[in-house]
């Protein structure tokens, strides 16, 4: 797990992002560089407004930076490609095939049931037949404790249920890169822990590269690396070593 052999799978290089114009212009990211590795669960912390969601959006190909590069090697390719130099269509294809995103506001489709939210990405993202998509969606909902809620639409779900469906939707694709923006904010600690375990399994079990934004200090023992963002500047912080062997370099 968390092996750094073979080099990073995703690199942010001197990323800059400004918002606003003229006197009201302010920097959301100031020359942020970050290396993420296959099999690594990375945590990003920092105060509100420090640039965490902005960094996730840039690294995942959703938001164009004002400066710097996002370099990636999907499927273990030997050379890096620069995500923000790709034509829009190729970047969209990279996102669809290789990335999963759990949004801070869930972003569920209002007209679809819990099961359909997941089925749709399996059908369109992974080209599964309807029956297989449904079976896998139900398996994922079961792991998240939501199988008996599968017919519900978002308006009838609690915040925590919506959040778990959004997590299931991102994980079901088995993406190589997974970005999660406060994925446990609406969950009690028991459900939060099971989500962290799912994320860790995806990293350590099948080598996904995962970056999670969270304010929850209880997540620290489960992660391999911890970054802190403050006013658009990033630094790496120590991860406490714990007896479970889940943190640090096991
Ligand atoms: N679309 C936008 N237009 C203008 N300013 C923006 C925009 N998006 C973000 N910002 C500003 O950029 C800064 C960083 O925002 P960002 O959403 O990345 O913070 P964050 O660390 O995710 O905060 P939170 O913990 O509250 O989610 C903030 O000052 C925010 O107001
Ligand atoms: Mg945010």
């Amino acid at each position: 797990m968390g092996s750094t052999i073979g080099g990073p799978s995703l690199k942010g290089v001197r990323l800059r992002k400004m918002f606003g114009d003229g006197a009201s212009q302010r920097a959301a990211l100031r020359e942020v560089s970050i290396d993420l590795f296959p099999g690594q669960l990375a945590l990003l912390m920092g105060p509100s407004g420090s640039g965490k969601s902005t960094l996730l959006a840039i690294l995942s190909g959703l938001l164009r930076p004002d400066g710097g590069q996002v370099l990636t090697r999907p499927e273990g390719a030997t050379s890096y490609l620069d995500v923000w130099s790709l034509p829009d269509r190729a970047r969209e294809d990279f996102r669809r095939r290789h990335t999963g995103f759990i949004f801070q506001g869930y972003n569920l489709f209002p007209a679809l049931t819990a099961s359909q939210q997941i089925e749709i990405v399996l059908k369109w993202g992974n080209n599964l037949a309807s029956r297989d998509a449904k079976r896998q969606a139900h398996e994922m909902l079961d792991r998240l404790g939501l199988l008996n809620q599968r017919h519900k639409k978002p308006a009838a779900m609690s915040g925590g249920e919506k959040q778990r469906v959004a997590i299931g939707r991102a994980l079901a694709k088995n993406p190589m890169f997974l970005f999660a923006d406060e994925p446990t904010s609406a969950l009690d600690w028991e459900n939060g822990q099971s989500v962290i375990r799912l994320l860790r399994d995806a990293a350590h079990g099948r080598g996904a590269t995962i970056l999670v934004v969270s304010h929850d200090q209880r997540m620290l023992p489960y992660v391999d690396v911890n970054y802190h963002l403050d006013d658009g500047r990033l630094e790496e912080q120590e991860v406490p070593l714990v007896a479970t062997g889940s943190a640090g370099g096991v």
Side-chain angles (χ1 to χ4, degrees):
M1 54 118 278
S3 167
T4 53
I5 300 164
S9 45
L10 190 73
K11 287 165 75 72
V13 186
R14 294 191 302 279
L15 292 169
R16 287 188 294 110
K17 184 72 188 174
M18 308 291 290
F19 286 115
D21 333 275
S24 67
Q25 195 175 48
R26 79 177 281 280
L29 294 180
R30 308 165 195 266
E31 304 257 324
V32 167
S33 295
I34 185 169
D35 284 351
L36 299 171
F37 293 86
Q40 189 185 58
L41 177 55
L43 177 64
L44 177 61
M45 301 183 111
S48 182
S50 59
K52 304 181 298 296
S53 296
T54 303
L55 180 58
L56 249 61
I58 290 173
L59 291 173
S60 63
L62 282 168
L63 179 70
R64 185 178 287 280
D66 295 324
Q69 291 177 305
V70 176
L71 304 175
T72 180
R73 286 190 315 170
E75 294 168 324
T78 44
S79 56
Y80 286 95
L81 54 90
D82 180 348
V83 171
W84 287 105
S85 296
L86 293 173
D88 291 353
R89 201 125 163 221
R91 187 171 50 257
E92 191 48 42
D93 193 49
F94 162 75
R95 288 208 314 109
R96 189 175 55 81
R97 288 176 54 201
H98 299 300
T99 71
F101 205 113
I102 299 165
F103 291 93
Q104 201 164 2
Y106 318 137
N107 278 26
L108 296 179
F109 303 106
L112 301 186
T113 67
S115 185
Q116 288 165 342
Q117 311 272 350
I118 300 175
E119 288 168 42
I120 197 166
V121 300
L122 290 171
K123 281 198 247 180
W124 299 114
N126 296 27
N127 296 320
L128 288 196
S130 295
R131 195 162 17 127
D132 295 330
K134 192 174 220 167
R135 186 175 44 76
Q136 287 193 22
H138 288 185
E139 279 170 17
M140 180 53 74
L141 288 171
D142 196 23
R143 290 186 74 182
L144 291 161
L146 286 173
L147 191 57
N148 59 5
Q149 314 272 356
R150 65 187 175 279
H151 300 300
K152 275 194 178 170
K153 293 181 181 170
M157 296 178 206
S158 71
E161 288 165 354
K162 281 189 269 206
Q163 192 159 39
R164 279 181 285 158
V165 172
I167 290 161
R169 184 176 60 179
L171 279 170
K173 272 172 75 173
N174 278 335
M176 177 163 295
F177 301 104
L178 185 64
F179 303 91
D181 203 346
E182 310 214 19
T184 61
S185 58
L187 304 181
D188 55 54
W189 178 231
E190 197 179 321
N191 278 309
Q193 261 183 319
S194 65
V195 165
I196 299 160
R197 286 205 191 91
L198 280 169
L199 296 176
R200 213 177 63 183
D201 288 351
H204 296 184
R206 61 176 182 78
T209 301
I210 306 189
L211 182 59
V212 184
V213 169
S214 178
H215 292 287
D216 194 341
Q217 300 276 346
R218 290 177 297 187
M219 217 181 259
L220 278 170
Y222 295 85
V223 304
D224 302 309
V225 58
N226 179 24
Y227 291 100
H228 189 83
L229 197 54
D230 201 348
D231 194 21
R233 291 179 217 278
L234 188 78
E235 60 179 54
E236 191 175 333
Q237 300 205 321
E238 292 245 331
V239 172
L241 274 174
V242 291
T244 61
S246 58
V250 176

